[in-house]
Amino acid sequence: MINIGDWKSGKFRPDNLQDYIEQLDLYATAALIQFGGQIPDIQVIPQLHYVDAACHTRRSAAPQLRTYTMADLPRLKKEWSPDEGRC
């Protein structure tokens, strides 16, 4: 299991959540590419941490947050490829 923390200043704002989820997708993509071949049953769990609020998001507060596995990698690669994705 790989935990990734994205530390944010300010407080949690639900209207920014979709942008943050895209960032977490990118972090998960990098972790799966980097470590997926070494850890067969890898799980990548990114979380948002808000410094000013002294808290982090939980899946109950932001159900869109997820755990990523190697099964997600083809979709993530396609989304983040320069030819087809957000780049």
Side-chain angles (χ1 to χ4, degrees):
M1 179 183 325
I2 296 177
N3 290 303
I4 299 174
D6 185 355
W7 296 87
K8 304 284 188 193
S9 61
K11 296 181 180 177
F12 176 71
R13 292 184 178 85
D15 53 318
N16 291 338
L17 186 58
Q18 187 57 44
D19 291 335
Y20 296 151
I21 289 172
E22 289 179 4
Q23 293 172 7
L24 298 178
D25 278 353
L26 182 59
Y27 304 153
T29 302
L32 290 169
I33 290 170
Q34 180 69 32
F35 301 108
Q38 301 167 32
I39 308 169
D41 296 329
I42 190 172
Q43 292 184 327
V44 178
I45 304 172
Q47 290 186 338
L48 300 169
H49 301 274
Y50 294 88
V51 176
D52 295 342
C55 69
H56 65 273
T57 56
R58 300 193 191 291
R59 278 162 182 68
S60 59
Q64 300 91 334
L65 298 180
R66 54 180 305 209
T67 298
Y68 298 82
T69 66
M70 288 302 287
D72 296 304
L73 188 56
R75 173 187 60 83
L76 292 168
K77 278 182 161 180
K78 184 174 182 178
E79 287 180 18
W80 288 101
S81 73
D83 295 332
E84 308 213 11
R86 301 179 189 124
C87 298

